[in-house]
Amino acid sequence: MTARIAVAAVTFDRPKELAVLLDSIKAQTAAVDTICLVDSGTTPARSIAEQHANVDYVRSEANLGGAGGFALAALKAVASGARWIWMMDDDAVPADPECLATLVREAEARDLEAVVPLVTAPGQPDRLSFFFRLDGKVTHDRAEVEKLGFLPDDGHFFNGALIRSDVFFKVGLPDMRLFIRGDEVDFTIRLRQAGIRFGTVTTTAITHPHAFTETQHVYGAGWHVIVPESAFKRYYYYRNRGYLIRRYFRVRSFVADVGGYLGYFLQRRDLPGLLAWARTFSTGLRGKGFGPLEDQKF
């Protein structure tokens, strides 16, 4: 008997992208039992969801962010009784109709509890949207990663990740306090701590917008920092980095961040940027600054 699969998807004011995603899920050769879709957008996407009979549409009047949206969608998906949960952002698209079937096959063959595809940049199938670190250096080169075949205990959640439903009982749901940026890192750390068997397979992919310009090298190819383009994204990224360092006592990350951001901003003589980073990063280190979007100050 084929195991039931549910999609846990989130959307926020991307009606065109959402329509493409839902059509691509419908086109998969592996059957999806239900699509649990959480919509936190300013304009409801109910009409798009209703074009697909198996969409369980959940309207959220509060902006839950990616973390809160995925938490609610995953909980709904688990409650549906599915054995596998396929996590999907509204601007992600499976690369081909065999994507889900390949993930299921790889998970079963490798006895994995979670399996992640490669994430490629739209229109640039040879470039990975999010880097991997190989031999101490970061790379976006798909060919470099593909030749490894399988990357154990590594992966970019939540775009396209296929997770066995009982995993959420072991490690919990995505942490809605993180809102955006860092929720996937927190979830990955929890997987590792719980001994969950997971990894990235290079035999299939999804596309998702890249973040190439955010990666800023400071002291050569071996040391970089992430600098999001908007104050909104910078706040959540810096705060959540500080919080995760505190929560998991990540000494190496603390040293890398302090040294990296000091170098980055001082090289550019950007004192306001340095002070903004220090203020936000220290807020996370102290476990402060959490609350609804409207309470945040960027």
Side-chain angles (χ1 to χ4, degrees):
M1 183 177 179
T2 303
R4 294 176 61 195
I5 301 171
V7 171
V10 297
T11 187
F12 186 93
D13 290 347
R14 292 194 183 110
K16 293 181 180 179
E17 292 88 342
L18 177 61
V20 171
L21 171 63
L22 294 178
D23 286 341
S24 69
I25 293 173
K26 184 179 180 180
Q28 292 295 300
T29 58
V32 169
D33 183 71
T34 185
I35 301 172
C36 300
L37 175 66
V38 173
D39 176 12
S40 297
T42 58
T43 302
R46 186 184 300 274
S47 60
I48 297 172
E50 288 177 345
Q51 296 176 27
H52 298 265
N54 64 337
V55 173
D56 181 0
Y57 178 82
V58 180
R59 172 66 187 163
S60 174
E61 295 302 331
N63 186 349
L64 302 175
F70 275 125
L72 180 53
L75 188 59
K76 287 281 290 182
V78 171
S80 75
R83 175 175 171 77
W84 290 100
I85 313 300
W86 200 20
M87 311 290 285
M88 199 68 68
D89 205 352
D90 58 2
D91 54 357
V93 182
D96 60 72
E98 291 293 325
C99 182
L100 179 55
T102 301
L103 290 174
V104 173
R105 184 171 61 252
E106 291 278 6
E108 293 176 345
R110 298 178 184 274
D111 191 28
L112 301 174
E113 297 169 271
V115 61
V116 187
L118 292 177
V119 183
T120 61
Q124 302 180 65
D126 295 330
R127 295 274 285 166
L128 300 176
S129 292
F130 309 113
F131 66 79
F132 283 91
R133 186 177 291 276
L134 303 179
D135 298 325
K137 298 181 180 180
V138 300
T139 181
H140 289 271
D141 188 338
R142 180 177 183 174
E144 275 193 73
V145 178
E146 265 187 332
K147 64 185 180 184
L148 300 177
F150 177 66
L151 289 79
D153 301 320
D154 200 359
H156 297 290
F157 291 83
F158 294 105
N159 290 300
L162 184 68
I163 306 170
R164 216 167 65 188
S165 60
D166 60 351
V167 167
F168 294 102
F169 288 93
K170 299 174 183 177
V171 305
L173 297 164
D175 190 343
M176 69 178 293
R177 293 175 298 173
L178 300 177
F179 196 76
I180 61 168
R181 297 303 183 99
D183 51 318
E184 71 289 345
V185 175
D186 173 63
F187 192 78
T188 304
I189 293 172
R190 282 188 271 153
L191 291 178
R192 290 171 179 155
Q193 289 184 337
I196 301 299
R197 302 181 304 279
F198 76 97
T200 296
V201 296
T202 64
T203 49
T204 191
I206 66 165
T207 63
H208 182 277
H210 62 77
F212 297 156
T213 59
E214 293 186 356
T215 303
Q216 303 291 331
H217 293 281
V218 184
Y219 307 115
W223 198 332
H224 74 278
V225 294
I226 300 298
V227 183
E229 294 180 346
S230 70
F232 169 75
K233 292 180 180 179
R234 286 195 296 271
Y235 172 81
Y236 283 107
Y237 184 81
Y238 298 158
R239 186 204 66 181
N240 292 350
R241 287 283 296 182
Y243 172 72
L244 293 178
I245 287 172
R246 167 196 173 99
R247 179 174 181 178
Y248 298 109
F249 198 64
R250 307 180 77 191
V251 177
R252 290 181 62 184
S253 294
F254 177 79
V255 173
D257 276 27
V258 172
Y261 283 105
L262 276 173
Y264 173 79
F265 288 113
L266 290 178
Q267 286 172 9
R268 288 157 180 76
R269 299 181 181 180
D270 183 1
L271 182 59
L274 176 60
L275 294 176
W277 165 80
R279 181 171 56 252
T280 308
F281 181 69
S282 65
T283 296
L285 278 177
R286 292 180 286 113
K288 304 294 184 181
F290 295 102
L293 176 63
E294 57 267 21
D295 292 348
Q296 307 306 320
K297 297 179 181 179
F298 311 118

